[in-house]
Amino acid sequence: DFLGGTPSVVVPAVPDSPDGATALKSDLDLEERQLKRYRERVTQAGELGLPDVAEALRPLLEQTQDHVADLRDSLGV
């Protein structure tokens, strides 16, 4: 919007479950997909000779790895 466009991001609905496990599984799926994308972007930045971009992405990658580990622990997987 700031750049004059219209945001097009659609946020997926969170499944409803009495114990919350479905929501946690959904979150785990989203985090795992994001982790894969961060890894791809870090690799691409390295291949393109952009070490500063790769360095900026690494903390996000590490944080996402932590989220995945926490969610897996919570779900017992």
Side-chain angles (χ1 to χ4, degrees):
D1 187 51
F2 177 76
L3 298 174
T6 303
S8 61
V9 175
V10 177
V11 179
V14 176
D16 187 26
S17 71
D19 63 358
T22 303
L24 288 175
K25 288 177 186 175
S26 177
D27 193 25
L28 176 59
D29 180 56
L30 291 171
E31 292 283 351
E32 287 175 333
R33 286 187 281 155
Q34 186 62 40
L35 182 58
K36 180 182 175 190
R37 286 190 292 269
Y38 279 137
R39 286 178 175 149
E40 290 171 356
R41 298 304 170 259
V42 168
T43 299
Q44 290 170 342
E47 291 170 353
L48 292 170
L50 301 168
D52 54 331
V53 173
E55 186 177 329
L57 290 171
R58 281 195 184 91
L60 299 171
L61 178 110
E62 291 171 6
Q63 183 181 37
T64 304
Q65 286 174 324
D66 291 343
H67 290 169
V68 167
D70 291 344
L71 287 164
R72 286 180 178 164
D73 286 346
S74 294
L75 291 166
V77 293

